[in-house]
Amino acid sequence: MPLASPVLDTRIGGQPPNRTGKVRDLYDAGDVLLIVATDRISAFDYVLGSGIPDKGKVLTQLSRFWFDQTGDIVANHLLTTDVDRYPEPFRSAGELLRGRSMLVRKTSPVPIECVARGYLSGSGWKDYRATGRVCGVELPSGLREAERLPEPIFTPATKATSGHDINISEAEAAALVGADLVQRLRELTMTLYAFGHAHAEARGIILADTKFEFGVTPAGDAILIDEVMTPDSSRYWPKDAYAPGHGQPSFDKQFVRDYLESIGWNKQPPVPALPDDVVQRTREKYLEAFHRLTGRELE
């Protein structure tokens, strides 16, 4: 069967979003926000011309699953994903929004990404090869790519409005937002990662690393916001194929990156479109991760 057309842009009540990210469209509704996850996909810091059908639904519904699962660890910003409970004009846009949106309370976002790493991969692997450290954290010598670390580490990063986030040390993070807040976010990040890793491992998936975002409420409490342990914010690897010493197959944009590398794209505009088979295989990986992690069907 042909795939449904991906949702690449949104307008609600004739109005564009108040803010647009690489994947999400945000609508301001006074004391609440509507977050809509589109099917846009980015690679090498560019949003591609092709989307991945249902990707936004996977991101939203997997985040909702994790918000539900981790509510005893930390409060979060989710109010509802039930479109029938949205205020107008959002309620009238149910066909567009159902399954790919969430109504959330507003917070003051903390301007750092809180990254937990349990395995040596990605930018952490590059840092380690160059310095023997990751974000200032000293690691044993002789570790291989994708090797499990002796214990997970907290490696914050600055949030970039465009391009890559920049890895920083915990001390640098403390200088940005305060030592007490960083200590609290470190504790929450590592507890959330431990919970997510154990849950995923029981379902045959390795959560190699992930990043969390937090916001501060008017009462001064740090709560979990944005997306949680999705294939866009995490490295998920199939446990049965895990073998350290090289890159691992993953449940994310691997097919997209591999295709873009194979065609020799110079990672500058214009951005290429993706062939149907790359779109299909990428969609299948997102759906597989969702099904295995939640045991549910996508709504």
Side-chain angles (χ1 to χ4, degrees), residues 7-297:
V7 173
L8 299 180
D9 299 287
T10 67
R11 292 179 74 88
I12 298 177
Q15 298 300 311
N18 297 94
R19 194 162 85 244
T20 299
K22 287 179 180 176
V23 174
R24 285 168 180 77
D25 290 348
L26 273 67
Y27 291 85
D28 193 319
D31 58 349
V32 296
L33 290 172
L34 182 76
I35 302 177
V36 185
T38 71
D39 296 329
R40 296 191 293 262
I41 190 165
S42 64
F44 305 115
D45 300 325
Y46 288 96
V47 176
L48 303 180
S50 305
I52 307 298
D54 295 325
K55 175 176 176 281
K57 291 186 175 184
V58 169
L59 301 182
T60 297
Q61 294 176 42
L62 186 55
S63 291
R64 184 182 66 186
F65 171 82
W66 286 121
F67 280 137
D68 290 344
Q69 295 290 315
T70 60
D72 290 342
I73 297 173
V74 59
N76 58 69
H77 70 167
L78 178 62
L79 295 172
T80 184
T81 59
D82 181 355
V83 176
D84 294 332
R85 294 173 59 192
Y86 290 178
E88 292 290 4
F90 307 137
R91 191 184 315 132
S92 296
E95 186 175 351
L96 168 68
L97 298 178
R98 192 163 283 109
R100 65 169 67 248
S101 64
M102 57 177 68
L103 198 71
V104 304
R105 55 176 162 156
K106 283 184 175 178
T107 65
S108 297
V110 180
I112 59 171
E113 305 275 8
C114 293
V115 182
R117 299 176 188 271
Y119 297 74
L120 194 55
S121 189
S123 63
W125 170 240
K126 292 178 183 176
D127 289 351
Y128 175 77
R129 283 191 299 170
T131 67
R133 300 167 178 254
V134 177
C135 295
V137 178
E138 188 83 37
L139 294 175
S141 61
L143 295 179
R144 297 167 291 170
E145 182 178 4
E147 190 151 356
R148 187 169 186 171
L149 300 175
E151 61 183 29
I153 59 175
F154 174 64
T155 61
T158 58
K159 291 183 182 179
T161 54
S162 62
H164 285 296
D165 296 334
I166 300 171
N167 292 339
I168 58 176
S169 67
E170 195 169 336
E172 290 171 313
L176 283 175
V177 303
D180 289 346
L181 180 56
V182 168
Q183 175 60 28
R184 173 62 175 155
L185 298 184
R186 184 188 196 283
E187 293 170 357
L188 290 173
T189 296
M190 303 318 292
T191 303
L192 289 165
Y193 175 74
F195 178 88
H197 183 274
H199 177 93
E201 190 170 41
R203 285 151 180 79
I205 295 177
I206 292 171
L207 176 59
D209 56 50
T210 192
K211 67 178 179 180
F212 301 104
E213 293 196 40
F214 295 92
V216 178
T217 68
D221 299 320
I223 67 172
L224 192 58
I225 66 171
D226 197 56
E227 62 181 320
V228 185
M229 293 186 281
T230 71
D232 273 13
S233 65
S234 317
R235 276 189 182 83
Y236 280 117
W237 300 332
K239 186 177 177 182
D240 59 3
Y242 173 65
H246 51 76
Q248 306 296 304
S250 61
F251 289 98
D252 58 4
K253 310 173 190 178
Q254 179 180 343
F255 293 120
V256 172
R257 295 192 195 98
D258 290 349
Y259 169 74
L260 296 174
E261 293 283 13
S262 74
I263 63 172
W265 179 44
N266 64 0
K267 299 166 189 171
Q268 297 294 324
V271 295
L274 301 174
D276 289 346
D277 67 312
V278 173
V279 169
Q280 176 72 43
R281 293 164 74 195
T282 302
R283 177 180 181 272
E284 288 169 358
K285 279 297 173 187
Y286 275 84
L287 287 172
E288 183 183 353
F290 177 80
H291 291 148
R292 289 175 66 171
L293 288 168
T294 68
R296 302 173 182 174
E297 293 302 315

